[in-house]
Amino acid sequence: MQETTIKKAVELVGIGLHRGVPVKMRLEPLGAGEGIIFYRKDKNLYIPLHPDSVVDTKMATVIGKRDESISTIEHLMSAVYSYGIDNLLIILDNDEVPIMDGSAMSYCMLLDEAGIATLNASKKVLKITKEIEVREENKYVKLKPSNSMIFDFTIDFSHPVIGKEYLRFEFSKKAYLQEIAKARTFGFLKEVQYLRSIGLARGGSLENAIVLDENRVLNPEGLRYPDEFVRHKVLDAIGDLSLLGCPIMGEYEAYAGSHALNHALTKQLLANPDAYEIVETKGTNEEGFVLGAAYAKE
């Protein structure tokens, strides 16, 4: 498989989830080996996608440099990762990625409009060779060897609508579009006042999140999947792991995982070079973005 970018520039306008201000986002192609780069047009500031760029993980994954930041990148990056895009310039005129409907589906539609272009360079994959784990009390996230990309996620909320949910998802672009992309972020009505007092969730509404009171879902349309909550956690995890810079071949497992734990996992993995190797994929892009055993050691 070859590295990819998008065929043409595309853009959209939406509201930022936490500050609640309008944001214009434009995606532009980049050449082979350039990676994924964010650009704050209003600050003339480039921020590369990398675990070292993360400056906050409270309620969202935030990257930054020189006291400037870009918040809530995980839903967009989940879509970009799932489309197998290796090189991309993401231009924003404010400090948040637009939240759209709270899922990744709007970004998938934008990428469909842009189209995928192959480049003259072989796609690299990060292959997990040894288990890496990060724990916080009873919560944990881990990566372990596998010949495919699997997400094994459990959540457990003391809420009558959610409770304990479990999903084992074997990654492919097709499966992502059908099973993960439409899952929305969620929050609890009792937390909204506090979040807004610390400058978060000011753009949140029933249009871009699942909102729950003590007993029920407040969105009149209900849920998109019976287990939409754990599916959105997988969506987030895909976006958070995209900061590693290339597709992963391995199994991700989480119990009550979070942005903070995912970030710690990426840092710990990169700090242990014996836990992974970079391999070069075989096959053609026409097969679609599906990672399997078809790889060659670089």
Side-chain angles (χ1 to χ4, degrees):
M1 294 178 71
Q2 303 299 105
E3 284 193 19
T4 64
T5 186
I6 56 175
K7 287 183 178 178
K8 65 175 184 179
V10 288
E11 59 185 47
L12 56 71
V13 177
I15 297 296
L17 174 63
H18 291 302
R19 286 192 59 204
V21 296
V23 185
K24 180 179 179 180
M25 181 177 77
R26 179 178 173 87
L27 308 182
E28 293 186 355
L30 284 180
E34 294 191 71
I36 295 173
I37 302 170
F38 284 79
Y39 176 57
R40 278 281 303 272
K41 187 176 180 180
D42 59 320
K43 300 293 183 179
N44 190 27
L45 180 66
Y46 291 91
I47 306 173
L49 187 76
H50 190 276
D52 289 343
S53 296
V54 174
V55 296
D56 193 6
T57 52
K58 187 190 293 107
M59 306 301 294
T61 296
V62 184
I63 57 173
K65 185 195 295 184
R66 299 203 305 266
D67 298 323
E68 302 294 345
S69 63
I70 298 171
S71 179
T72 324
I73 69 167
E74 61 271 13
H75 302 168
L76 169 64
M77 289 314 308
S78 184
V80 170
Y81 179 99
S82 298
Y83 273 62
I85 296 171
D86 305 287
N87 306 283
L88 186 67
L89 180 63
I90 302 164
I91 304 170
L92 300 159
D93 66 356
N94 217 311
D95 63 356
E96 281 189 86
V97 172
I99 190 62
M100 308 313 290
D101 72 346
S103 77
M105 203 63 213
S106 294
Y107 311 122
C108 293
M109 294 169 66
L110 189 67
L111 293 172
D112 286 336
E113 180 187 345
I116 308 298
T118 58
L119 300 168
N120 189 28
S122 295
K123 183 186 287 288
K124 303 297 192 298
V125 172
L126 192 156
K127 184 175 187 286
I128 305 300
T129 57
K130 187 179 79 172
E131 184 172 307
I132 291 287
E133 180 181 55
V134 175
R135 282 189 173 266
E136 180 185 293
E137 297 178 345
N138 68 324
K139 304 174 184 179
Y140 70 83
V141 293
K142 65 173 72 172
L143 283 166
K144 50 191 177 181
S146 173
N147 280 335
S148 57
M149 186 66 213
I150 295 168
F151 290 85
D152 193 300
F153 212 118
T154 302
I155 59 173
D156 195 355
F157 284 84
S158 56
H159 190 282
V161 175
I162 307 176
K164 193 170 187 176
E165 291 185 352
Y166 169 77
L167 181 69
R168 183 174 176 85
F169 172 69
E170 185 161 357
F171 176 85
S172 72
K173 178 184 173 183
K174 181 179 179 181
Y176 178 84
L177 288 169
Q178 292 175 344
E179 302 174 30
I180 302 297
K182 293 185 291 184
R184 295 162 293 175
T185 191
F186 59 95
F188 302 93
L189 190 62
K190 64 183 180 181
E191 296 176 353
V192 170
Q193 187 173 0
Y194 166 71
L195 290 173
R196 289 181 174 171
S197 74
I198 60 171
L200 299 175
R202 291 177 179 175
S205 72
L206 295 177
E207 301 300 316
N208 54 38
I210 304 168
V211 181
L212 304 102
D213 64 11
E214 297 291 339
N215 302 297
R216 62 191 176 95
V217 171
L218 299 180
N219 305 63
E221 74 278 10
L223 299 177
R224 295 176 176 176
Y225 308 93
D227 56 352
E228 188 168 357
F229 306 100
V230 72
R231 289 178 188 270
H232 184 79
K233 288 293 189 178
V234 169
L235 186 157
D236 277 348
I238 294 171
D240 287 343
L241 293 184
S242 75
L243 279 88
L244 288 167
C246 62
I248 300 164
M249 188 181 297
E251 181 169 346
Y252 167 93
E253 182 183 332
Y255 180 85
S258 64
H259 296 304
L261 286 173
N262 289 337
H263 175 53
L265 184 65
T266 60
K267 296 278 283 186
Q268 184 164 320
L269 178 67
L270 294 180
N272 288 271
D274 62 328
Y276 68 93
E277 60 181 346
I278 303 299
V279 299
E280 190 173 291
T281 59
K282 293 179 177 178
T284 66
N285 293 71
E286 284 70 26
E287 296 168 353
F289 184 46
V290 183
L291 292 181
Y295 63 87
K297 192 167 182 179
E298 189 178 19

